[in-house]
Amino acid sequence: MSKRKSSSSDDERRGHHAAKRRPKLAKKKKHLYLLVDDWERGYSVRKLDVDAFDYCDAAETDDLLPLEQHQYFTDPPVARIEALHEVSCHLTSHGTKIFAMQPGEGKPAIPGFDTHTHGVTICPWPSCQGNNYSNPLFVSVAGDKLFLFMDVLAEVLGDQPPYDSKAPWSWTTIKQARPPFFTGKVLCHAMHPDGRTLFVSAGSRRRRRPNRREEHYYSESESEPEPESESSEQGQGTFSFDTERLQWTKHGDWVLPFSGQAYFDAELDAWIGLCGERNCAGFLCSCDVVAAADEFITGASPPSWKLGQEKLFMNRQQLHLGVKLLYMGDSSFCLVESLIHKEDDHLFRDESILHVDSQFPLPRRRVLCINTFGLKYNKKGELQTKPRRAGACITYKRPHDFGESLSLTPSAFWL
């Protein structure tokens, strides 16, 4: 007797059961990585498990975490990266790797650290190397391409060849991808949820009247902002870059409301980032996603945005140096703030010494205040943090007085 031929539905059913029997690969747990300038030759790579942070109730304090609850690094660093302690040093992440993109002109290549394998690698210099290498914009797209944008050119780092390959790892110059703005004027950037379109706002924030939601946050002693001017600067506005077509599109003279990098959150259906608008420092904001270039309609108005209800760092502006926001997925975020130690406050009675270019050295002690929290919209549609928060304050000491790192912004990565 001949065997019955299996139908396509039988094959699909067997494939379904086989798939159910296959063990699922465990998702790699991510950690918070800090590159701390506590080593005289460069940076220590510190790996932190945010699940081990202490929890607190948001109702207990207006601030996220009191500075008094600080500790010190006790475990040795997972690695160290040689790089200059200067504002011109640029640390960036790509895939699972962290690169010190400007280790020093005398170095033959760029050092990198793989956070998943704990292996150390080297990346070739871009073709520009040390020429006009100020104020670059590095953007990693889907872990596949690392773009470098500068005033005069754009480059992309290709895939790393296999370890036994004789092919060199190299950058490619993309002449048509030269940005239509000055990279030193970049205010913020964010990836579109399509995974291929980069949005960048550059220029200057023009003064405008606050809306009703913002009026609450302006001090009575401050003058009301002047209405927005109709004139626009060259290279000012919001632009999108299609990383597949390698084309720029201008969306308007307006700018997105963020400062630094913003992130798309699917649950909130919005970009989330630190607010860069006047008198809104310390607040988060959410912004509607702008249509990608192929959906763009000429003359579209700026997207709507909402200011968060809580100020995430306050009452310590004199100690504040810089802050970085990280997205951990599922409407969860991590805020890393860099501060001068509170016991060094007496050194800053004269505000002129706070400038990086000043000859007066900043104190060596630093405090990294780290907080993790969730975001949601309340019943009124307002953006606010969820009640449960976690965090830690860590103190460390820089090895020398001069040469501030990363424009005082903490170098933190969620990988």
Side-chain angles (χ1 to χ4, degrees):
M1 181 183 296
S2 61
K3 294 183 179 179
R4 180 178 65 91
K5 293 183 179 180
S6 62
S7 65
S8 59
S9 59
D10 292 335
D11 293 338
E12 291 175 0
R13 194 178 298 110
R14 280 196 295 270
H16 173 71
H17 290 306
K20 290 182 67 175
R21 288 195 299 269
R22 276 190 222 108
K24 291 185 178 180
L25 295 176
K27 196 172 182 179
K28 187 79 173 180
K29 181 179 178 179
K30 292 188 176 182
H31 293 80
L32 173 64
Y33 287 87
L34 303 173
L35 267 72
V36 182
D37 53 345
D38 60 353
W39 182 42
E40 61 182 7
R41 295 180 61 88
Y43 297 83
S44 299
V45 182
R46 303 285 182 174
K47 179 181 179 180
L48 302 183
D49 183 359
V50 299
D51 293 335
F53 287 172
D54 294 329
Y55 281 92
C56 64
D57 190 338
E60 295 176 358
T61 175
D62 292 333
D63 214 341
L64 285 187
L65 192 69
L67 283 179
E68 289 75 13
Q69 300 177 13
H70 66 87
Q71 53 188 314
Y72 299 88
F73 290 114
T74 55
D75 297 329
V78 295
R80 284 193 170 104
I81 296 179
E82 287 193 17
L84 299 176
H85 288 168
E86 295 181 356
V87 174
S88 60
C89 180
H90 306 285
L91 301 175
T92 189
S93 65
H94 176 51
T96 61
K97 296 179 176 63
I98 299 173
F99 292 113
M101 297 305 299
Q102 194 161 355
E105 293 185 12
K107 300 293 183 181
I110 295 169
F113 172 72
D114 193 309
T115 58
H116 283 195
T117 65
H118 286 189
V120 177
T121 186
I122 57 172
C123 172
W125 279 98
S127 61
C128 58
Q129 198 158 342
N131 302 324
N132 299 320
Y133 203 60
S134 60
N135 300 315
L137 172 63
F138 291 99
V139 178
S140 179
V141 178
D144 297 326
K145 299 177 182 178
L146 177 61
F147 284 90
L148 162 61
F149 298 103
M150 297 195 305
D151 292 344
V152 295
L153 56 82
E155 296 194 38
V156 61
L157 179 66
D159 293 334
Q160 184 176 9
Y163 74 95
D164 57 349
S165 173
K166 295 182 180 180
W169 197 9
S170 61
W171 294 77
T172 301
T173 300
I174 313 170
K175 294 182 179 180
Q176 72 270 26
R178 174 180 173 178
F181 50 82
F182 295 113
T183 53
K185 293 287 189 179
V186 170
L187 301 170
C188 59
H189 68 277
M191 287 300 301
H192 192 275
D194 65 8
R196 62 180 276 181
T197 309
L198 168 69
F199 277 80
V200 180
S201 287
S204 60
R205 297 189 187 277
R206 293 176 293 172
R207 302 179 70 187
R208 58 176 178 77
R209 292 190 181 279
N211 57 40
R212 292 181 180 179
R213 185 183 301 277
E214 296 168 307
E215 286 176 349
H216 171 74
Y217 300 103
Y218 289 106
S219 170
E220 294 180 0
S221 61
E222 293 179 305
S223 60
E224 188 175 346
E226 296 294 331
E228 185 176 283
S229 171
E230 294 298 328
S231 61
S232 62
E233 301 175 6
Q234 180 68 26
Q236 174 177 296
T238 296
F239 309 81
S240 68
F241 178 69
D242 190 314
T243 59
E244 294 183 10
R245 296 177 183 173
L246 303 178
Q247 295 177 348
W248 284 100
T249 300
K250 184 172 183 179
H251 291 253
D253 292 335
W254 45 266
V255 297
L256 295 171
F258 305 111
S259 174
Q261 184 175 1
Y263 308 89
F264 175 72
D265 183 88
E267 185 175 343
L268 300 177
D269 192 27
W271 280 320
I272 305 293
L274 291 166
C275 190
E277 293 290 330
R278 181 176 177 268
N279 287 10
C280 294
F283 290 90
L284 292 178
C285 64
S286 63
C287 177
D288 291 347
V289 175
V290 181
D294 56 352
E295 305 169 356
F296 174 63
I297 301 175
T298 303
S301 59
S304 300
W305 62 278
K306 298 179 180 180
L307 189 67
Q309 295 299 295
E310 300 109 329
K311 192 166 186 177
L312 300 185
F313 45 92
M314 58 175 58
N315 301 327
R316 55 198 188 203
Q317 289 92 343
Q318 200 165 358
L319 304 176
H320 176 86
L321 293 175
V323 65
K324 186 169 184 179
L325 180 71
L326 301 172
Y327 180 54
M328 303 191 299
D330 299 326
S331 301
S332 296
F333 293 81
C334 178
L335 188 74
V336 183
E337 184 185 7
S338 176
L339 304 109
I340 296 293
H341 196 282
K342 64 177 183 178
E343 294 178 4
D344 296 329
D345 177 60
H346 65 282
L347 299 174
F348 296 98
R349 301 305 176 191
D350 181 4
E351 294 184 358
S352 64
I353 65 175
L354 284 174
H355 299 293
V356 177
D357 295 333
S358 173
Q359 295 298 314
F360 193 95
L362 292 176
R364 293 187 181 184
R365 283 191 295 182
R366 296 287 184 273
V367 178
L368 294 176
C369 197
I370 308 164
N371 289 277
T372 61
F373 52 90
L375 286 180
K376 66 177 183 179
Y377 290 124
N378 61 22
K379 293 181 179 180
K380 297 180 180 180
E382 299 168 330
L383 184 68
Q384 67 177 44
T385 59
K386 295 179 181 179
R388 202 178 187 206
R389 300 168 175 165
C393 277
I394 303 174
T395 299
Y396 72 96
K397 189 175 182 180
R398 303 182 71 244
H400 43 71
D401 295 328
F402 294 93
E404 283 299 333
S405 311
L406 307 174
S407 301
L408 306 178
T409 301
S411 182
F413 305 94
W414 181 251
L415 300 171

